[in-house]
């Protein structure tokens, strides 16, 4: 069964014996649909809308009837993401009103709300600890501890240079993955409490969907240009270094263009500053003329490295630790069912694709 929001209708699609998907039932709603959360066991579906409301439906066992349950006044603007927790009977959501809210699905009442300085764009929720991870358009990720009628801010994660478009939480290894408009993916080791982060760069456009496959230790990321990357996370990886600050090249010691004093003293023109992706040193263009991949640090594409580091990179160090596939449409959302070997992608072209586990899309479309 596949669900799709199209215009102002909610549709249930059933797979026929022929292998094709056909619409079974639909329900109209008052505002365009922006996101969805479906709980398989209880057959409860929650629809976020552009007007800020969340609508709950209950689908019958034979998937031939859809009954309206409640409408929740969750936000003042578009609902960007949401999670339903059966254990706590909460629906947690983020919106373009710069807030995260959590509401009781039994009473329909608002339990709490927290405001950010930027649009709240994506959300993950840990059932056991009641921790919410919220990504926003400023590039930050906020970790909140939610309670009935109250909350506390645990920490703020800063690493992206663009708006956060996707989050995925793995409660087993306690790893958080984030994707952003800076084309990068970051793995945050929340459970390790050491602040360890891994940077993964393998996209040419903003990252809009993530899924971590616990069984195979693979991370799947999708970008707006249709790119699909499958990262091998069951291997030794290294953290990319922090970029160092300097007023002159840390290799040849020539001044950078803002170092007026050294430029005057040496009677030389200032140079533009770059950074080596392998050692993090501030270097000039002449001392960093080489490019190389370095997958162990997450660089699957050639990046700038200083000449000294380039000489230390062996050919086996360039062996890819990710595979790349083409989704053939702008991927806005993605979900996976590893047990059935299926991946579903939704695009801005209003097409839903159901793909097999090969991750090379060539299967059914709706």
């Amino acid at each position: 069964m596949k669900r799709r929001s199209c215009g102002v209708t909610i549709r249930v699609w059933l797979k026929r014996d022929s292998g094709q998907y056909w619409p079974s039932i639909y329900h109209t709603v008052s505002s365009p649909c922006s996101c969805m959360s479906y709980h398989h066991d209880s057959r409860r579906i929650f629809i976020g809308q552009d007007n800020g409301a969340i609508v709950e439906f209950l689908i019958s066992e034979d998937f031939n009837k859809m009954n309206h349950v409640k409408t929740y006044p969750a936000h003042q603007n578009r609902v960007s993401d949401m999670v339903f927790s059966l254990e706590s009977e909460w629906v947690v959501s983020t919106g373009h009103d710069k807030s995260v809210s959590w509401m009781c699905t039994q009473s329909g009442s608002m339990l709490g709300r927290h405001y950010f300085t930027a649009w709240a764009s994506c959300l993950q929720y840990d059932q056991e600890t009641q921790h919410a991870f919220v990504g926003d358009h400023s590039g930050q990720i906020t970790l909140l501890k939610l309670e009935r009628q109250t909350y506390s801010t645990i920490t703020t994660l800063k690493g992206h240079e663009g708006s956060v478009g996707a989050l995925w939480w793995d409660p087993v290894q306690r790893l958080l993955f984030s994707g952003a408009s800076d084309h990068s993916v970051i793995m945050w080791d929340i459970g390790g409490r050491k602040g360890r982060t891994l940077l993964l760069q393998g996209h040419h456009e903003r990252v809009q969907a993530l899924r971590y496959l616990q069984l195979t230790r693979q991370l799947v990321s999708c970008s707006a240009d249709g790119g699909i990357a499958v990262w091998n996370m069951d291997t030794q990886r290294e953290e990319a270094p922090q970029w160092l600050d300097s007023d002159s090249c840390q290799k040849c010691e020539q001044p950078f263009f803002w170092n007026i004093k050294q430029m005057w003293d040496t009677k030389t023109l200032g140079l533009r500053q770059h950074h080596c992706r392998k050692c993090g040193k501030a270097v000039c263009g002449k001392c960093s003329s080489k490019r190389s991949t370095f997958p162990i640090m997450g660089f699957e594409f050639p990046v700038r490295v200083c000449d000294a580091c380039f000489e230390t990179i062996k050919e086996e160090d360039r062996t890819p630790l990710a595979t790349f596939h083409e989704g053939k449409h702008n991927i806005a959302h993605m979900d996976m069912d590893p047990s059935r070997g299926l991946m579903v992608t939704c695009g801005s072209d209003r097409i839903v694709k159901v793909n097999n586990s090969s991750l090379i899309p060539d299967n059914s479309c709706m």
Side-chain angles (χ1 to χ4, degrees):
M1 195 266 296
K2 178 70 188 117
R3 304 151 313 272
R4 180 176 77 169
S5 61
C6 178
V8 290
T9 63
I10 312 303
R11 297 180 182 270
V12 176
W13 298 74
L14 297 180
K15 189 175 183 179
R16 306 302 185 186
D17 293 338
S18 63
Q20 296 297 311
Y21 289 85
W22 294 92
S24 173
I25 53 174
Y26 73 92
H27 201 292
T28 58
V29 290
S30 59
S31 178
C33 309
S34 54
C35 58
M36 179 181 68
S37 178
Y38 177 68
H39 191 267
H40 183 271
D41 293 338
S42 64
R43 301 186 310 282
R44 296 164 73 177
I45 184 169
F46 296 81
I47 306 297
Q49 300 178 272
D50 279 358
N51 64 6
I54 295 175
V55 185
E56 179 186 353
F57 296 94
L58 178 64
I59 300 177
S60 63
E61 288 188 30
D62 59 4
F63 297 103
N64 284 317
K65 192 174 183 181
M66 186 188 305
N67 293 318
H68 175 260
V69 179
K70 284 188 183 75
T71 298
Y72 304 88
H75 297 276
Q76 299 298 314
N77 208 324
R78 183 180 189 179
V79 182
S80 56
D81 204 354
M82 78 180 106
V83 175
F84 167 61
S85 169
L86 182 65
E87 290 78 5
S88 58
E89 282 290 348
W90 289 0
V91 58
V92 186
S93 61
T94 54
H96 285 186
D97 57 358
K98 303 180 181 181
S99 77
V100 57
S101 70
W102 51 107
M103 304 189 70
C104 176
T105 54
Q106 294 176 320
S107 65
S109 61
M110 177 73 68
L111 298 176
R113 185 188 299 276
H114 172 74
Y115 283 95
F116 304 93
T117 58
W119 279 0
S121 51
C122 49
L123 168 72
Q124 286 286 278
Y125 180 71
D126 184 73
Q127 307 276 3
E128 181 181 352
T129 63
Q130 294 184 312
H131 285 159
F133 302 89
V134 181
D136 65 38
H137 273 243
S138 74
Q140 297 184 14
I141 303 167
T142 304
L143 171 56
L144 301 169
K145 167 69 173 178
L146 305 184
E147 305 278 2
R148 293 187 71 90
Q149 310 297 335
T150 187
Y151 68 92
S152 57
T153 302
I154 306 300
T155 189
T156 301
L157 306 176
K158 300 178 181 179
H160 286 292
E161 297 179 358
S163 59
V164 181
L167 292 174
W168 186 260
W169 169 246
D170 174 46
V172 178
Q173 291 186 271
R174 305 196 68 77
L175 300 174
L176 178 69
F177 299 91
S178 59
S181 61
D182 58 8
H183 310 174
S184 71
V185 176
I186 295 179
M187 186 204 82
W188 310 83
D189 187 2
I190 304 297
R193 299 182 181 275
K194 297 178 181 178
R196 178 171 174 262
T197 60
L198 294 178
L199 176 67
L200 305 174
Q201 292 191 333
H203 288 283
H204 297 289
E205 263 291 347
R206 64 185 182 275
V207 179
Q208 301 193 133
L210 295 168
R211 288 295 181 275
Y212 180 66
L213 309 180
Q214 174 62 232
L215 187 63
T216 58
R217 299 291 199 273
Q218 290 175 303
L219 175 69
V220 182
S221 57
C222 301
S223 55
D225 59 358
I228 302 173
V230 183
W231 305 86
N232 177 12
M233 304 305 294
D234 191 24
T235 186
Q236 188 66 33
R237 290 183 177 272
E238 296 179 8
E239 288 187 73
Q242 294 291 322
W243 286 2
L244 302 177
D245 293 326
S246 179
D247 291 328
S248 59
C249 175
Q250 293 181 304
K251 293 295 182 180
C252 68
E253 299 184 350
Q254 290 294 305
F256 293 132
F257 64 84
W258 61 83
N259 189 348
I260 305 298
K261 184 179 186 305
Q262 188 177 347
M263 287 167 55
W264 177 263
D265 292 342
T266 59
K267 302 297 189 291
T268 57
L269 292 175
L271 305 176
R272 183 182 175 186
Q273 177 183 255
H274 302 282
H275 284 92
C276 173
R277 301 309 193 267
K278 187 174 184 294
C279 67
K281 289 183 177 180
V283 291
C284 67
K286 184 178 179 181
C287 293
S288 59
S289 60
K290 305 290 177 50
R291 302 289 186 276
S292 177
T293 61
F294 199 51
I296 196 172
M297 280 189 181
F299 300 117
E300 294 288 340
F301 298 154
V303 292
R304 181 186 294 272
V305 293
C306 67
D307 294 352
C309 283
F310 184 83
E311 297 300 324
T312 68
I313 301 176
K314 301 175 182 178
E315 195 57 38
E316 55 264 31
D317 295 333
R318 298 185 174 92
T319 303
L321 296 177
T323 59
F324 300 93
H325 311 270
E326 178 53 55
K328 299 179 182 177
H329 69 153
N330 178 318
I331 299 176
H333 304 282
M334 178 266 294
D335 204 351
M336 301 190 74
D337 185 347
S339 64
R340 291 191 293 170
L342 295 177
M343 179 174 71
V344 179
T345 59
C346 304
S348 58
D349 53 6
R350 302 178 69 177
I351 292 177
V352 178
K353 294 188 178 184
V354 183
N355 311 305
N356 60 32
S357 59
S358 67
L359 295 172
I360 303 177
D362 58 2
N363 281 10
S364 305
C365 294
M366 293 187 290

